[in-house]
Coordinates of all heavy atoms in Angstrom, one line a residue:
M1300 N -75.5 -28.8 113.9 CA -75.6 -27.4 113.5 C -76.4 -26.6 114.6 O -77.3 -25.9 114.2 CB -76.3 -27.3 112.2 CG -75.4 -27.8 111.0 SD -74.3 -26.6 110.4 CE -75.3 -25.5 109.6
T1301 N -76.1 -26.8 115.8 CA -76.8 -26.1 116.8 C -76.1 -24.8 117.1 O -74.9 -24.8 117.5 CB -76.9 -26.9 118.1 OG1 -77.5 -28.1 117.8 CG2 -77.8 -26.1 119.1
E1302 N -76.8 -23.7 116.9 CA -76.2 -22.4 117.2 C -76.4 -22.0 118.7 O -77.6 -22.0 119.1 CB -76.8 -21.3 116.3 CG -75.8 -20.6 115.4 CD -76.4 -19.6 114.6 OE1 -76.9 -19.9 113.5 OE2 -76.4 -18.4 115.0
A1303 N -75.4 -21.8 119.4 CA -75.5 -21.4 120.8 C -76.2 -20.0 120.8 O -75.8 -19.1 120.2 CB -74.2 -21.3 121.5
P1304 N -77.3 -19.9 121.6 CA -77.9 -18.6 121.7 C -77.2 -17.6 122.6 O -76.3 -18.0 123.3 CB -79.3 -19.0 122.2 CG -79.0 -20.1 123.1 CD -77.9 -20.9 122.5
Q1305 N -77.7 -16.4 122.6 CA -77.2 -15.5 123.6 C -78.1 -15.5 124.8 O -79.2 -15.9 124.7 CB -77.0 -14.1 122.9 CG -78.3 -13.5 122.4 CD -78.1 -12.2 121.7 OE1 -77.0 -11.9 121.3 NE2 -79.2 -11.4 121.6
C1306 N -77.5 -14.9 125.9 CA -78.3 -14.9 127.1 C -79.6 -14.0 126.9 O -79.5 -12.9 126.4 CB -77.4 -14.3 128.2 SG -78.4 -14.0 129.7
P1307 N -80.7 -14.6 127.2 CA -82.0 -13.8 127.1 C -82.1 -12.6 128.0 O -82.9 -11.8 127.9 CB -83.1 -14.8 127.3 CG -82.4 -15.9 128.2 CD -81.0 -15.9 127.8
I1308 N -81.3 -12.6 129.1 CA -81.3 -11.6 130.1 C -80.4 -10.4 129.7 O -80.8 -9.3 129.6 CB -81.0 -12.1 131.5 CG1 -81.9 -13.2 131.9 CG2 -81.1 -10.9 132.5 CD1 -83.4 -12.8 131.9
C1309 N -79.1 -10.8 129.5 CA -78.1 -9.7 129.3 C -77.5 -9.7 127.9 O -76.6 -9.0 127.6 CB -77.0 -9.8 130.4 SG -75.9 -11.2 130.3
T1310 N -77.9 -10.7 127.1 CA -77.5 -10.8 125.7 C -76.0 -11.2 125.5 O -75.5 -11.0 124.4 CB -77.9 -9.6 124.8 OG1 -77.0 -8.5 125.2 CG2 -79.3 -9.2 125.0
T1311 N -75.4 -11.6 126.6 CA -74.0 -12.1 126.4 C -74.0 -13.4 125.5 O -74.7 -14.3 125.8 CB -73.4 -12.4 127.8 OG1 -73.3 -11.3 128.6 CG2 -71.9 -13.0 127.6
P1312 N -73.2 -13.4 124.5 CA -73.2 -14.6 123.6 C -72.3 -15.7 124.2 O -71.6 -15.5 125.3 CB -72.5 -14.1 122.3 CG -71.7 -13.0 122.8 CD -72.3 -12.4 124.0
E1313 N -72.4 -16.9 123.6 CA -71.6 -18.0 124.0 C -71.8 -18.4 125.5 O -70.9 -18.3 126.3 CB -70.1 -17.8 123.7 CG -69.8 -17.6 122.2 CD -68.4 -17.3 122.0 OE1 -67.5 -17.5 122.9 OE2 -68.1 -16.8 120.9
P1314 N -72.9 -18.9 125.8 CA -73.2 -19.3 127.2 C -72.4 -20.6 127.5 O -72.0 -21.3 126.6 CB -74.7 -19.5 127.2 CG -75.0 -19.9 125.8 CD -74.1 -19.1 124.9
L1315 N -72.3 -20.9 128.8 CA -71.7 -22.1 129.2 C -72.7 -23.2 129.0 O -73.9 -23.0 129.1 CB -71.4 -22.0 130.7 CG -70.5 -20.8 131.2 CD1 -70.4 -20.8 132.7 CD2 -69.1 -21.0 130.6
I1316 N -72.2 -24.4 128.8 CA -73.2 -25.5 128.6 C -73.4 -26.1 130.0 O -72.5 -26.7 130.6 CB -72.6 -26.6 127.7 CG1 -72.1 -26.0 126.4 CG2 -73.6 -27.7 127.5 CD1 -73.3 -25.4 125.6
A1317 N -74.6 -26.0 130.5 CA -74.9 -26.5 131.9 C -75.5 -27.9 131.7 O -75.7 -28.4 130.6 CB -75.9 -25.6 132.6
E1318 N -75.8 -28.6 132.8 CA -76.3 -29.9 132.8 C -77.5 -30.1 132.0 O -77.7 -31.0 131.2 CB -76.5 -30.4 134.2 CG -76.2 -31.8 134.5 CD -76.2 -32.2 135.9 OE1 -75.2 -31.9 136.6 OE2 -77.2 -32.7 136.4
D1319 N -78.5 -29.1 132.2 CA -79.7 -29.3 131.5 C -80.1 -28.0 130.7 O -81.2 -27.6 130.6 CB -80.8 -29.6 132.5 CG -80.9 -28.5 133.6 OD1 -80.0 -27.7 133.6 OD2 -81.8 -28.6 134.4
G1320 N -79.0 -27.4 130.1 CA -79.3 -26.2 129.3 C -78.1 -25.3 129.2 O -76.9 -25.8 129.2
F1321 N -78.3 -24.1 129.1 CA -77.2 -23.1 129.0 C -77.2 -22.3 130.3 O -78.2 -22.1 131.0 CB -77.4 -22.2 127.8 CG -77.3 -22.9 126.5 CD1 -78.4 -23.0 125.7 CD2 -76.1 -23.4 126.1 CE1 -78.3 -23.7 124.5 CE2 -76.0 -24.0 124.8 CZ -77.1 -24.2 124.1
E1322 N -76.0 -21.8 130.6 CA -75.8 -20.9 131.7 C -75.0 -19.7 131.3 O -73.9 -19.9 130.7 CB -75.2 -21.6 132.9 CG -75.3 -20.8 134.2 CD -74.8 -21.6 135.4 OE1 -75.0 -22.8 135.4 OE2 -74.1 -20.9 136.2
C1323 N -75.4 -18.5 131.6 CA -74.7 -17.3 131.2 C -73.5 -17.1 132.2 O -73.7 -17.0 133.4 CB -75.7 -16.1 131.2 SG -74.8 -14.6 130.8
A1324 N -72.4 -16.9 131.6 CA -71.2 -16.6 132.4 C -71.2 -15.2 133.0 O -70.6 -15.0 134.1 CB -69.9 -16.8 131.6
A1325 N -71.9 -14.3 132.4 CA -72.0 -12.9 132.8 C -72.9 -12.7 134.0 O -72.6 -12.1 135.0 CB -72.3 -12.0 131.7
C1326 N -74.2 -13.2 133.8 CA -75.2 -12.9 134.8 C -75.7 -14.1 135.6 O -76.4 -14.0 136.5 CB -76.3 -12.1 134.2 SG -77.4 -13.2 133.2
G1327 N -75.3 -15.3 135.2 CA -75.6 -16.5 135.9 C -77.0 -17.0 135.5 O -77.5 -18.0 136.1
H1328 N -77.7 -16.4 134.6 CA -79.0 -16.9 134.2 C -78.9 -18.2 133.5 O -78.0 -18.4 132.7 CB -79.6 -15.9 133.2 CG -81.0 -16.3 132.7 ND1 -82.1 -16.4 133.5 CD2 -81.4 -16.6 131.5 CE1 -83.1 -16.8 132.8 NE2 -82.7 -17.0 131.6
A1329 N -79.7 -19.2 133.8 CA -79.7 -20.5 133.2 C -81.0 -20.7 132.5 O -82.1 -20.3 132.9 CB -79.5 -21.6 134.3
W1330 N -80.9 -21.3 131.3 CA -82.1 -21.6 130.5 C -82.0 -22.8 129.7 O -80.9 -23.3 129.5 CB -82.5 -20.3 129.7 CG -81.6 -20.1 128.5 CD1 -81.8 -20.4 127.2 CD2 -80.3 -19.4 128.5 NE1 -80.8 -20.0 126.5 CE2 -79.9 -19.3 127.2 CE3 -79.6 -18.8 129.6 CZ2 -78.7 -18.8 126.9 CZ3 -78.3 -18.3 129.2 CH2 -77.9 -18.2 127.9
L1331 N -83.1 -23.3 129.1 CA -83.1 -24.4 128.3 C -82.7 -24.1 126.9 O -83.1 -23.0 126.4 CB -84.4 -25.1 128.3 CG -84.9 -25.6 129.7 CD1 -86.3 -26.1 129.6 CD2 -83.9 -26.7 130.2
P1332 N -82.0 -24.9 126.1 CA -81.5 -24.5 124.8 C -82.6 -24.3 123.8 O -82.4 -23.4 123.0 CB -80.6 -25.7 124.4 CG -81.0 -26.8 125.3 CD -81.5 -26.2 126.6
E1333 N -83.7 -25.0 123.9 CA -84.7 -24.8 122.8 C -85.7 -23.8 123.2 O -86.8 -23.7 122.5 CB -85.4 -26.2 122.5 CG -86.3 -26.6 123.6 CD -85.6 -27.4 124.7 OE1 -84.4 -27.2 124.8 OE2 -86.3 -28.2 125.4
L1334 N -85.4 -23.0 124.2 CA -86.4 -22.0 124.7 C -86.9 -21.0 123.6 O -88.0 -21.0 123.3 CB -85.8 -21.3 125.9 CG -86.8 -21.1 127.0 CD1 -86.1 -20.5 128.2 CD2 -88.0 -20.3 126.7
S1335 N -85.9 -20.2 123.1 CA -86.2 -19.1 122.2 C -87.4 -18.4 122.6 O -87.6 -18.0 123.7 CB -86.2 -19.6 120.8 OG -87.4 -20.4 120.5
D1336 N -88.4 -18.2 121.7 CA -89.6 -17.4 122.0 C -90.7 -18.4 122.4 O -91.8 -17.9 122.7 CB -90.0 -16.6 120.8 CG -89.1 -15.4 120.6 OD1 -88.4 -15.0 121.6 OD2 -89.0 -14.9 119.5
E1337 N -90.5 -19.6 122.2 CA -91.6 -20.5 122.5 C -91.8 -20.8 124.0 O -90.9 -20.8 124.7 CB -91.3 -21.9 121.8 CG -91.7 -21.9 120.3 CD -91.3 -23.2 119.7 OE1 -91.7 -24.2 120.3 OE2 -90.7 -23.2 118.6
V1338 N -93.0 -21.0 124.3 CA -93.4 -21.4 125.7 C -92.9 -22.8 125.9 O -93.3 -23.7 125.1 CB -94.9 -21.2 125.9 CG1 -95.2 -21.7 127.3 CG2 -95.3 -19.8 125.7
H1339 N -92.1 -23.0 126.9 CA -91.7 -24.4 127.2 C -92.6 -24.9 128.3 O -93.4 -24.3 128.9 CB -90.2 -24.5 127.5 CG -89.8 -23.7 128.7 ND1 -89.3 -24.3 129.9 CD2 -89.8 -22.4 129.0 CE1 -89.1 -23.3 130.8 NE2 -89.4 -22.2 130.2
E1340 N -92.3 -26.2 128.6 CA -93.1 -26.8 129.7 C -93.0 -26.1 131.0 O -91.9 -25.9 131.5 CB -92.7 -28.3 129.8 CG -93.7 -29.1 130.5 CD -93.3 -30.6 130.4 OE1 -92.3 -31.0 131.1 OE2 -94.0 -31.3 129.7
V1341 N -94.1 -25.8 131.6 CA -94.1 -25.2 132.9 C -94.6 -26.1 134.0 O -95.7 -26.7 133.8 CB -94.9 -23.9 132.9 CG1 -95.0 -23.2 134.2 CG2 -94.4 -22.9 131.8
R1342 N -93.8 -26.3 135.0 CA -94.2 -27.2 136.1 C -94.4 -26.4 137.4 O -93.6 -25.5 137.7 CB -93.2 -28.3 136.3 CG -93.2 -29.3 135.1 CD -92.0 -30.3 135.3 NE -92.0 -31.2 134.1 CZ -92.7 -32.3 134.1 NH1 -93.4 -32.7 135.1 NH2 -92.6 -33.1 133.0
D1343 N -95.3 -26.8 138.2 CA -95.5 -26.1 139.5 C -94.5 -26.7 140.5 O -93.6 -27.5 140.1 CB -96.9 -26.3 140.0 CG -97.3 -27.7 140.5 OD1 -96.4 -28.6 140.5 OD2 -98.4 -27.9 140.9
V1344 N -94.6 -26.3 141.7 CA -93.6 -26.6 142.7 C -93.6 -28.1 143.0 O -92.6 -28.7 143.4 CB -93.9 -25.9 144.1 CG1 -95.2 -26.3 144.7 CG2 -92.7 -26.0 145.0
N1345 N -94.7 -28.8 142.7 CA -94.7 -30.3 142.9 C -94.3 -31.0 141.6 O -94.4 -32.3 141.6 CB -96.1 -30.7 143.3 CG -96.5 -30.1 144.6 OD1 -95.7 -30.0 145.6 ND2 -97.7 -29.6 144.8
G1346 N -94.0 -30.3 140.6 CA -93.7 -31.0 139.3 C -94.8 -31.3 138.4 O -94.6 -31.9 137.4
A1347 N -96.0 -30.8 138.8 CA -97.2 -31.0 137.9 C -97.1 -30.0 136.7 O -96.8 -28.9 136.9 CB -98.5 -30.8 138.7
V1348 N -97.4 -30.6 135.6 CA -97.3 -29.7 134.4 C -98.6 -28.8 134.4 O -99.7 -29.2 134.6 CB -97.3 -30.6 133.1 CG1 -97.4 -29.7 131.8 CG2 -96.1 -31.4 133.0
L1349 N -98.3 -27.5 134.1 CA -99.3 -26.5 134.1 C -99.7 -26.2 132.6 O -98.8 -26.1 131.8 CB -98.9 -25.2 134.8 CG -98.6 -25.4 136.3 CD1 -98.0 -24.1 136.8 CD2 -99.8 -25.7 137.1
V1350 N -100.9 -26.0 132.4 CA -101.3 -25.6 131.0 C -102.2 -24.4 131.1 O -102.8 -24.1 132.2 CB -102.1 -26.7 130.3 CG1 -101.2 -28.0 130.1 CG2 -103.4 -27.1 131.1
A1351 N -102.3 -23.7 130.0 CA -103.1 -22.5 130.0 C -104.6 -22.8 130.4 O -105.1 -23.8 130.0 CB -103.1 -21.9 128.6
G1352 N -105.1 -21.9 131.3 CA -106.5 -22.2 131.7 C -106.5 -22.8 133.1 O -107.6 -22.9 133.7
D1353 N -105.4 -23.3 133.6 CA -105.4 -23.9 134.9 C -105.6 -22.9 136.0 O -105.3 -21.7 135.8 CB -104.0 -24.6 135.1 CG -103.9 -26.0 134.6 OD1 -105.0 -26.6 134.2 OD2 -102.8 -26.6 134.6
D1354 N -106.0 -23.4 137.1 CA -106.1 -22.5 138.3 C -104.9 -22.9 139.2 O -104.6 -24.1 139.3 CB -107.4 -22.7 139.1 CG -108.6 -22.3 138.3 OD1 -108.4 -21.6 137.3 OD2 -109.7 -22.7 138.7
V1355 N -104.2 -21.9 139.8 CA -103.1 -22.2 140.6 C -103.3 -21.5 142.0 O -104.0 -20.5 142.1 CB -101.8 -21.8 140.0 CG1 -101.5 -22.6 138.8 CG2 -101.7 -20.3 139.7
V1356 N -102.6 -22.0 143.0 CA -102.6 -21.4 144.3 C -101.2 -20.9 144.7 O -100.2 -21.7 144.5 CB -103.1 -22.4 145.4 CG1 -103.0 -21.7 146.8 CG2 -104.6 -22.8 145.1
V1357 N -101.1 -19.7 145.1 CA -99.8 -19.1 145.5 C -99.3 -19.8 146.8 O -100.0 -19.8 147.8 CB -99.9 -17.6 145.7 CG1 -98.6 -17.0 146.2 CG2 -100.3 -16.9 144.4
I1358 N -98.1 -20.3 146.8 CA -97.6 -21.0 148.0 C -96.4 -20.2 148.6 O -95.9 -20.5 149.7 CB -97.1 -22.4 147.6 CG1 -96.0 -22.4 146.5 CG2 -98.3 -23.3 147.3 CD1 -95.0 -23.4 146.7
K1359 N -95.9 -19.2 147.9 CA -94.9 -18.3 148.5 C -95.4 -16.8 148.2 O -95.8 -16.6 147.1 CB -93.5 -18.5 147.9 CG -92.9 -19.8 148.3 CD -91.6 -20.0 147.5 CE -91.1 -21.4 147.6 NZ -90.0 -21.6 146.7
E1360 N -95.3 -16.0 149.2 CA -95.8 -14.6 149.0 C -95.0 -14.0 147.8 O -93.8 -14.1 147.7 CB -95.6 -13.8 150.3 CG -96.3 -12.4 150.2 CD -96.4 -11.7 151.5 OE1 -96.6 -12.4 152.5 OE2 -96.3 -10.5 151.5
L1361 N -95.8 -13.3 147.0 CA -95.2 -12.7 145.8 C -95.1 -11.2 146.1 O -96.1 -10.5 146.5 CB -96.1 -12.9 144.6 CG -96.5 -14.3 144.3 CD1 -97.5 -14.4 143.1 CD2 -95.2 -15.1 143.9
K1362 N -94.0 -10.6 145.8 CA -93.8 -9.2 145.9 C -93.9 -8.6 144.5 O -93.4 -9.1 143.6 CB -92.4 -8.9 146.5 CG -92.3 -9.4 147.9 CD -91.2 -8.6 148.7 CE -91.2 -8.9 150.2 NZ -91.5 -10.2 150.6
L1363 N -94.7 -7.6 144.4 CA -95.0 -7.0 143.1 C -94.2 -5.7 142.9 O -94.6 -4.7 143.4 CB -96.5 -6.7 143.0 CG -97.4 -7.9 143.1 CD1 -98.8 -7.5 143.0 CD2 -97.0 -9.0 142.1
N1364 N -93.1 -5.9 142.2 CA -92.3 -4.7 141.8 C -92.0 -3.8 143.0 O -92.0 -2.6 142.8 CB -93.0 -3.9 140.7 CG -93.3 -4.7 139.5 OD1 -92.4 -5.6 139.2 ND2 -94.4 -4.6 138.9
G1365 N -91.7 -4.4 144.1 CA -91.4 -3.6 145.3 C -92.5 -2.8 145.9 O -92.3 -2.1 146.9
K1366 N -93.7 -2.9 145.3 CA -94.8 -2.2 145.9 C -95.4 -2.9 147.1 O -95.2 -4.2 147.1 CB -95.9 -2.0 144.9 CG -95.6 -1.0 143.8 CD -96.7 -1.0 142.7 CE -96.2 -0.2 141.5 NZ -97.0 -0.5 140.3
S1367 N -96.0 -2.2 148.0 CA -96.6 -2.9 149.1 C -97.8 -3.6 148.7 O -98.4 -3.3 147.6 CB -96.9 -1.9 150.2 OG -97.8 -1.0 149.7
G1368 N -98.2 -4.6 149.5 CA -99.4 -5.3 149.1 C -99.2 -6.3 148.1 O -99.7 -6.3 147.0
G1369 N -98.3 -7.3 148.3 CA -98.0 -8.3 147.4 C -99.2 -9.3 147.3 O -100.2 -9.1 147.9
V1370 N -98.9 -10.5 146.7 CA -99.9 -11.5 146.7 C -99.7 -12.5 147.8 O -98.6 -13.1 147.9 CB -99.9 -12.2 145.3 CG1 -100.9 -13.3 145.2 CG2 -100.1 -11.2 144.2
K1371 N -100.7 -12.7 148.6 CA -100.5 -13.5 149.8 C -100.6 -15.0 149.5 O -101.2 -15.4 148.5 CB -101.6 -13.2 150.8 CG -101.4 -11.8 151.4 CD -102.1 -11.7 152.8 CE -101.5 -10.5 153.6 NZ -101.3 -9.3 152.8
I1372 N -99.9 -15.8 150.4 CA -100.0 -17.2 150.3 C -101.4 -17.7 150.3 O -102.2 -17.2 151.2 CB -99.2 -17.9 151.4 CG1 -97.7 -17.5 151.2 CG2 -99.4 -19.4 151.5 CD1 -96.8 -17.9 152.4
G1373 N -101.8 -18.6 149.5 CA -103.1 -19.1 149.5 C -104.1 -18.4 148.5 O -105.2 -18.9 148.2
T1374 N -103.5 -17.4 147.9 CA -104.3 -16.7 146.8 C -104.5 -17.6 145.6 O -103.6 -18.2 145.1 CB -103.6 -15.4 146.4 OG1 -103.4 -14.5 147.5 CG2 -104.5 -14.6 145.3
K1375 N -105.8 -17.7 145.2 CA -106.0 -18.5 144.0 C -106.0 -17.7 142.8 O -106.6 -16.6 142.8 CB -107.4 -19.2 144.2 CG -107.6 -20.3 143.1 CD -108.9 -21.1 143.5 CE -109.1 -22.3 142.5 NZ -110.3 -23.0 142.8
I1376 N -105.3 -18.1 141.8 CA -105.3 -17.4 140.5 C -105.9 -18.2 139.4 O -105.5 -19.4 139.2 CB -103.8 -17.0 140.1 CG1 -103.2 -16.2 141.2 CG2 -103.8 -16.3 138.8 CD1 -101.7 -16.0 141.1
K1377 N -107.0 -17.7 138.9 CA -107.8 -18.5 138.0 C -107.3 -18.3 136.5 O -107.0 -17.2 136.1 CB -109.3 -18.2 138.1 CG -109.9 -18.7 139.4 CD -111.4 -18.5 139.4 CE -111.9 -19.1 140.7 NZ -113.4 -18.9 140.8
S1378 N -107.4 -19.4 135.8 CA -107.3 -19.4 134.3 C -106.0 -18.7 133.9 O -106.0 -17.6 133.3 CB -108.5 -18.7 133.7 OG -108.5 -18.9 132.3
I1379 N -104.9 -19.3 134.3 CA -103.5 -18.7 134.0 C -103.3 -18.8 132.5 O -103.9 -19.6 131.8 CB -102.4 -19.4 134.7 CG1 -102.4 -20.9 134.4 CG2 -102.5 -19.2 136.2 CD1 -101.2 -21.7 134.8
R1380 N -102.3 -17.9 132.1 CA -101.8 -18.0 130.7 C -100.3 -18.3 130.9 O -99.7 -18.0 131.9 CB -101.9 -16.7 130.0 CG -103.4 -16.4 129.6 CD -103.5 -15.2 128.8 NE -102.3 -14.3 128.7 CZ -101.7 -14.0 127.5 NH1 -102.1 -14.5 126.4 NH2 -100.7 -13.2 127.6
L1381 N -99.7 -19.0 129.9 CA -98.3 -19.3 129.9 C -97.6 -18.5 128.8 O -98.1 -18.3 127.7 CB -98.1 -20.8 129.6 CG -98.8 -21.8 130.6 CD1 -98.5 -23.2 130.2 CD2 -98.3 -21.5 132.0
V1382 N -96.5 -17.9 129.2 CA -95.7 -17.1 128.3 C -94.2 -17.5 128.4 O -93.8 -18.2 129.3 CB -95.8 -15.6 128.7 CG1 -97.3 -15.1 128.5 CG2 -95.4 -15.4 130.1
A1383 N -93.4 -17.1 127.4 CA -92.0 -17.4 127.4 C -91.3 -16.5 128.4 O -91.8 -15.4 128.7 CB -91.4 -17.1 126.0
G1384 N -90.2 -17.0 129.0 CA -89.4 -16.2 129.9 C -89.3 -16.7 131.2 O -89.7 -17.8 131.5
D1385 N -88.7 -15.9 132.1 CA -88.4 -16.3 133.5 C -89.6 -16.5 134.3 O -89.6 -17.2 135.3 CB -87.5 -15.3 134.1 CG -86.0 -15.7 134.0 OD1 -85.7 -16.7 133.4 OD2 -85.2 -14.9 134.6
H1386 N -90.6 -15.7 134.1 CA -91.8 -15.7 134.8 C -92.9 -16.2 133.9 O -93.7 -15.5 133.3 CB -92.2 -14.3 135.3 CG -91.2 -13.8 136.3 ND1 -89.9 -13.7 136.1 CD2 -91.3 -13.4 137.6 CE1 -89.2 -13.2 137.1 NE2 -90.1 -13.0 138.1
P1387 N -93.0 -17.6 133.8 CA -93.8 -18.1 132.7 C -95.3 -18.1 132.9 O -96.1 -18.5 132.0 CB -93.3 -19.6 132.6 CG -92.8 -19.9 133.9 CD -92.3 -18.6 134.5
I1388 N -95.8 -17.8 134.1 CA -97.2 -17.8 134.4 C -97.7 -16.4 134.5 O -97.2 -15.6 135.2 CB -97.5 -18.6 135.7 CG1 -96.9 -20.0 135.7 CG2 -98.9 -18.5 136.1 CD1 -96.9 -20.7 137.0
E1389 N -98.8 -16.2 133.7 CA -99.4 -14.9 133.8 C -100.8 -15.1 134.3 O -101.6 -16.0 133.9 CB -99.5 -14.3 132.4 CG -100.0 -12.8 132.4 CD -100.1 -12.3 131.0 OE1 -99.3 -12.6 130.1 OE2 -101.0 -11.5 130.8
G1390 N -101.2 -14.3 135.3 CA -102.5 -14.4 135.9 C -103.0 -13.1 136.4 O -102.3 -12.1 136.5
K1391 N -104.3 -13.0 136.7 CA -104.9 -11.8 137.2 C -105.2 -11.9 138.7 O -105.8 -12.8 139.1 CB -106.2 -11.6 136.4 CG -106.5 -10.1 136.2 CD -107.6 -9.9 135.1 CE -107.3 -8.8 134.2 NZ -108.4 -8.5 133.3
V1392 N -104.7 -10.9 139.4 CA -105.0 -10.8 140.8 C -105.5 -9.4 141.1 O -104.9 -8.5 140.8 CB -103.7 -11.1 141.7 CG1 -104.0 -10.9 143.2 CG2 -103.2 -12.5 141.4
N1393 N -106.7 -9.4 141.7 CA -107.3 -8.1 142.0 C -107.3 -7.2 140.8 O -107.0 -6.0 140.9 CB -106.6 -7.4 143.2 CG -106.7 -8.3 144.5 OD1 -107.7 -9.0 144.7 ND2 -105.7 -8.2 145.3
G1394 N -107.6 -7.8 139.7 CA -107.8 -7.0 138.5 C -106.5 -6.6 137.8 O -106.4 -5.9 136.8
R1395 N -105.4 -7.0 138.4 CA -104.1 -6.7 137.9 C -103.4 -7.9 137.3 O -103.3 -8.9 137.9 CB -103.2 -6.1 139.0 CG -101.9 -5.6 138.6 CD -101.4 -4.5 139.5 NE -101.3 -5.0 140.9 CZ -100.5 -4.5 141.8 NH1 -99.7 -3.5 141.5 NH2 -100.5 -4.9 143.0
N1396 N -102.8 -7.8 136.1 CA -102.1 -8.9 135.5 C -100.7 -9.0 136.1 O -100.0 -8.0 136.2 CB -101.9 -8.7 134.0 CG -103.0 -9.3 133.2 OD1 -103.6 -10.3 133.6 ND2 -103.4 -8.7 132.1
I1397 N -100.3 -10.1 136.6 CA -99.0 -10.3 137.2 C -98.3 -11.5 136.5 O -98.9 -12.4 136.0 CB -99.0 -10.5 138.7 CG1 -99.8 -11.8 139.0 CG2 -99.6 -9.3 139.4 CD1 -99.7 -12.2 140.5
M1398 N -97.0 -11.5 136.6 CA -96.2 -12.6 136.0 C -95.5 -13.3 137.2 O -95.0 -12.7 138.1 CB -95.0 -12.0 135.1 CG -95.5 -11.0 134.1 SD -96.6 -11.8 132.9 CE -95.3 -12.6 131.9
I1399 N -95.5 -14.6 137.2 CA -95.1 -15.4 138.3 C -94.1 -16.5 138.0 O -94.2 -17.1 136.9 CB -96.4 -16.1 138.9 CG1 -97.5 -15.1 139.1 CG2 -96.0 -16.8 140.3 CD1 -98.9 -15.7 139.3
I1400 N -93.2 -16.7 138.9 CA -92.2 -17.8 138.7 C -93.0 -19.1 139.0 O -93.7 -19.2 140.0 CB -91.0 -17.6 139.6 CG1 -90.3 -16.3 139.2 CG2 -90.1 -18.8 139.5 CD1 -89.2 -15.9 140.2
A1401 N -92.7 -20.1 138.3 CA -93.5 -21.4 138.4 C -93.4 -22.0 139.7 O -94.4 -22.6 140.2 CB -93.1 -22.4 137.3
D1402 N -92.3 -21.9 140.4 CA -92.2 -22.7 141.7 C -92.8 -21.9 142.9 O -92.6 -22.3 144.0 CB -90.7 -23.1 142.0 CG -89.8 -21.9 142.3 OD1 -90.3 -20.8 142.3 OD2 -88.6 -22.1 142.5
K1403 N -93.5 -20.9 142.6 CA -94.2 -20.2 143.7 C -95.7 -20.5 143.7 O -96.4 -19.9 144.4 CB -94.0 -18.6 143.5 CG -92.5 -18.2 143.7 CD -92.4 -16.8 144.1 CE -90.9 -16.6 144.5 NZ -90.8 -15.2 145.0
V1404 N -96.1 -21.4 142.8 CA -97.5 -21.8 142.8 C -97.6 -23.3 142.8 O -96.6 -24.1 142.5 CB -98.2 -21.2 141.6 CG1 -98.1 -19.7 141.6 CG2 -97.6 -21.8 140.3
R1405 N -98.8 -23.8 143.1 CA -99.1 -25.2 142.9 C -100.5 -25.2 142.2 O -101.3 -24.3 142.3 CB -99.2 -26.0 144.2 CG -100.3 -25.6 145.1 CD -100.4 -26.6 146.3 NE -101.2 -26.1 147.3 CZ -102.5 -26.1 147.3 NH1 -103.2 -26.6 146.2 NH2 -103.3 -25.6 148.3
K1406 N -100.6 -26.3 141.4 CA -101.9 -26.4 140.7 C -103.0 -26.6 141.7 O -102.9 -27.3 142.7 CB -101.8 -27.7 139.9 CG -102.8 -27.8 138.7 CD -102.3 -28.9 137.8 CE -103.3 -29.0 136.6 NZ -102.8 -29.9 135.6
A1407 N -104.1 -25.8 141.4 CA -105.3 -25.9 142.3 C -106.1 -27.1 142.1 O -106.1 -27.7 141.1 CB -106.1 -24.6 142.1
Ligands
ZN2796 ZN1 -76.6 -13.2 131.1

């Protein structure tokens, strides 16, 4: 009795069944079936599991909404939070909250 969810990005129903989850035929977004609103396991670029309160180091420059002055490689982000969605890591850089894709950081 598993109900296929709709795409969390573009809300197209009936996603394709991918190897390790669902894939949206419309926008190409792939996600895990049990995701829903819950935070799922977040792993850094090395596969280490991240938990709330961890410190991470940026390993790929982050561009912030097209604005100049992104987050540079080597920037340490302290005491991250984990949230549901495509950018599961939330942290504070220079007083600003940012959302980060997990494979752009490693555990500090
Ligand atoms: Zn989609």
